[in-house]
């Protein structure tokens, strides 16, 4: 998985990248950002703008960001460690560790009433969770369905709904609901990653963060990555904004001091709970490009990395996922239109923009993006704290990737 081509970036290309990023900051739509691009032995970082929309300290290379769904590719490594050690097997039912998900009922119609169900044809497996096909999740075609409202009420812990309870109570609530689809039938977003985090914790016998830190974060030197920001680092966390979709006014979703990221959560959300920095994420994605090694130490096996970072969905699952995202393209600036999905991340299986086939990674709803490209040996990370309530951060991310690919020498 090493680069076949050159080793760096053109100077003119990096200048243009800075100009494009600066234009977004100067537009006043993005208060500040930190971007890192790495290729071969070359790393280039831009830190532009400020931590608050009305000024405040400047963005710095070590600014800590709420990663939102860009957490998924990193937290998934904890499950891969357990697969490597044969403490999990892909096609084993999850019932022994997640009894709340045993003996499922499945809705006769995904948009039908919650009491109109049939028995699940088979148990939920580890593979169903890792591929986001266990039968429940965010489905952009079911936003008005009764199951969507019930899921939101019981399991959501986003900015609007308050913190989640501890994992056992969260799983109990989830276990009260039927599945939207039969296990393994349809790709649905997000929820499977949260369940995977609980699965890892129960199999490992320690909290998710403890296991992730011991087996992945510490060996990679990812000292600023975790599920909250400790007091001695809180000055490095910007305010999180969700602009008003109508007026563009900067509405505060989360402050740094006293905010949600300032204290350890009861529920360590594998789907979107991490905070991190550009350098920490660079170390992680470089490890994936190196086939699972870092500084001579093996973090994951090469087959585990290949499983994570190549498409794992069948053609019918892919078609449904693509259709789901195509309906959102007006907002998401092409995000989600990669073609494939591995474990916890998108995989580019068709050429739809400037990015190469095989590129893998994901984006976050707080204005974050992190991908690696095996063909070019490339890592790109762009972090803001402007939520995707407006298209502004999605457009910035789009322009970052379009310009970065032109800078590949």
């Amino acid at each position: 998985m090493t680069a076949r081509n050159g080793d760096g970036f053109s100077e003119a290309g990096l200048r243009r990248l800075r100009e494009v990023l600066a234009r977004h900051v100067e537009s006043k739509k993005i208060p500040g950002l930190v971007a890192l691009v790495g290729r071969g032995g070359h790393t280039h970082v831009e830190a532009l703008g400020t931590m608050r929309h009305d000024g405040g300290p400047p963005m710095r290379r070590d600014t800590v960001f709420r990663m939102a769904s860009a957490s998924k590719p990193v937290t998934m490594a904890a499950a891969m460690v357990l697969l490597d050690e044969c403490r999990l097997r892909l096609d084993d039912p999850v019932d022994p560790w997640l009894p709340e998900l045993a003996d499922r009922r499945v809705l006769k119609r995904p948009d039908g009433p919650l009491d109109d169900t049939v028995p699940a044809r088979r148990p939920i497996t580890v593979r169903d969770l890792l591929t986001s096909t266990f039968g429940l999740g965010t489905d952009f075609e079911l936003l008005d369905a009764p199951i969507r409202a019930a899921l939101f009420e019981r399991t959501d812990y986003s900015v609007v709904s308050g913190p989640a309870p501890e994992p056992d109570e969260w799983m109990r609530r989830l276990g009260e609901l039927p599945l939207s689809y039969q296990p393994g039938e349809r790709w649905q977003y997000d929820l499977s990653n949260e369940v995977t985090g609980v699965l890892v914790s129960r199999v490992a016998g320690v909290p998710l963060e403890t296991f992730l830190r011991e087996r992945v974060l510490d060996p990679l030197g990812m000292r600023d990555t975790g599920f909250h920001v400790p007091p001695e680092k809180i000055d490095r966390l910007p305010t999180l904004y969700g602009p008003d979709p109508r007026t563009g006014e900067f509405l505060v979703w989360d402050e740094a001091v006293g905010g949600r990221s300032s204290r350890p959560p009861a529920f360590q959300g594998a789907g979107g709970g991490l905070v991190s920095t550009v350098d920490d994420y660079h170390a992680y994605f470089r490890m994936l490009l190196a086939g699972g090694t870092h500084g001579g130490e093996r973090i994951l096996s090469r087959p585990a990395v290949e499983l994570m970072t190549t498409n794992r969905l069948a053609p019918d699952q892919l078609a449904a996922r693509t259709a789901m995202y195509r309906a959102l393209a007006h907002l998401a600036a092409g995000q989600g239109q990669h073609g494939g999905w591995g474990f916890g991340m998108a995989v580019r299986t068709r050429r739809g923009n400037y990015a190469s086939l095989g590129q893998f990674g994901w984006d976050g709803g707080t204005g974050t993006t992190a991908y690696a490209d095996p063909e070019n040996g490339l890592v790109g990370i762009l972090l803001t704290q402007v939520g995707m309530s407006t298209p502004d951060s999605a457009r910035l991310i789009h322009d970052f990737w379009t310009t970065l690919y032109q800078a590949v020498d």
Side-chain angles (χ1 to χ4, degrees):
M1 298 176 82
T2 52
R4 291 206 299 266
N5 302 325
D7 198 34
F9 305 98
S10 74
E11 286 187 27
L14 290 179
R15 275 199 307 275
R16 188 148 175 276
L17 178 65
R18 179 185 173 86
E19 289 165 5
V20 167
L21 297 178
R23 201 160 67 219
H24 281 272
V25 173
E26 288 158 7
S27 76
K28 305 295 186 191
K29 301 283 180 65
I30 306 290
L33 60 87
V34 181
L36 181 149
V37 297
R39 189 167 185 242
H42 300 270
T43 305
H44 180 83
V45 175
E46 296 285 359
L48 302 173
T50 55
M51 306 241 300
R52 299 187 63 89
H53 84 90
D54 49 1
M59 286 284 185
R60 306 187 326 203
R61 181 169 182 160
D62 68 349
T63 296
V64 178
F65 293 84
R66 304 163 189 81
M67 297 303 296
S69 285
S71 304
K72 291 174 170 64
V74 174
T75 57
M76 188 56 73
M80 305 313 290
V81 170
L82 295 175
L83 285 178
D84 274 345
E85 296 180 348
C86 299
R87 296 160 76 182
L88 283 176
R89 299 179 193 89
L90 280 172
D91 293 306
D92 275 357
V94 298
D95 299 3
W97 304 288
L98 303 173
E100 299 93 341
L101 296 183
D103 303 316
R104 292 291 78 202
R105 305 289 299 181
V106 183
L107 294 175
K108 286 183 182 173
R109 289 196 353 257
D111 59 351
L114 298 182
D115 57 358
D116 190 15
T117 63
V118 296
R121 289 194 285 265
R122 62 163 176 81
I124 294 166
T125 65
V126 174
R127 187 187 300 271
D128 296 331
L129 287 181
L130 300 192
T131 55
S132 297
T133 60
F134 85 104
L136 275 176
T138 300
D139 192 322
F140 304 119
E141 295 175 8
L142 296 177
L143 293 181
D144 298 322
I147 187 65
R148 168 63 179 155
L151 267 178
F152 190 82
E153 179 189 340
R154 284 172 174 78
T155 67
D156 190 78
Y157 64 98
S158 63
V159 175
V160 292
S161 49
E166 48 81 34
D168 290 351
E169 170 61 16
W170 188 87
M171 285 300 304
R172 187 193 68 74
R173 296 180 188 181
L174 182 64
E176 293 175 346
L177 296 174
L179 303 180
S180 304
Y181 291 92
Q182 289 286 343
E185 184 180 347
R186 183 179 170 95
W187 185 91
Q188 291 175 291
Y189 186 52
D190 195 45
L191 194 66
S192 60
N193 296 92
E194 309 293 16
V195 180
T196 299
V198 179
L199 175 68
V200 167
S201 172
R202 289 183 178 178
V203 173
V206 293
L208 171 62
E209 183 169 18
T210 303
F211 187 71
L212 187 67
R213 187 164 303 290
E214 178 185 317
R215 303 305 301 274
V216 180
L217 302 181
D218 283 353
L220 288 172
M222 296 173 68
R223 288 181 292 275
D224 290 324
T225 303
F227 287 98
H228 83 290
V229 181
E232 66 272 16
K233 298 180 183 178
I234 200 73
D235 63 319
R236 290 162 53 191
L237 180 71
T239 303
L240 171 62
Y241 296 104
D244 185 303
R246 294 176 304 281
T247 67
E249 178 192 357
F250 282 104
L251 306 176
V252 173
W253 275 358
D254 193 41
E255 285 287 7
V257 177
R260 294 178 57 152
S261 297
S262 69
R263 52 190 175 269
F267 185 88
Q268 295 169 356
L274 288 182
V275 296
S276 193
T277 63
V278 289
D279 282 295
D280 278 12
Y281 258 60
H282 187 220
Y284 181 77
F285 277 89
R286 286 240 71 90
M287 178 272 290
L288 295 181
L289 284 181
T293 61
H294 171 80
E297 183 176 355
R298 182 156 290 285
I299 312 298
L300 297 173
S301 71
R302 179 176 289 275
V305 173
E306 290 169 351
L307 262 179
M308 292 171 76
T309 60
T310 53
N311 176 52
R312 302 268 59 85
L313 298 184
D316 56 333
Q317 297 167 334
L318 276 178
R321 179 177 180 271
T322 299
M324 207 189 293
Y325 271 98
R326 201 166 273 151
L328 297 178
H330 66 286
L331 174 66
Q335 286 156 330
Q337 293 288 306
H338 307 78
W341 187 262
F343 291 165
M345 64 186 94
V347 180
R348 195 166 295 283
T349 58
R350 62 169 181 267
R351 191 77 187 236
N353 55 24
Y354 283 44
S356 301
L357 297 182
Q359 182 205 47
F360 56 81
W362 197 228
D363 309 290
T366 51
T368 57
T369 187
Y371 287 81
D373 172 348
E375 181 179 335
N376 291 291
L378 173 72
V379 176
I381 301 153
L382 171 68
L383 306 180
T384 79
Q385 295 288 254
V386 178
M388 295 203 186
S389 50
T390 63
D392 297 311
S393 55
R395 288 170 178 158
L396 164 64
I397 288 168
H398 174 276
D399 293 353
F400 167 72
W401 287 110
T402 299
T403 315
L404 172 55
Y405 269 97
Q406 296 174 65
V408 172
D409 198 8

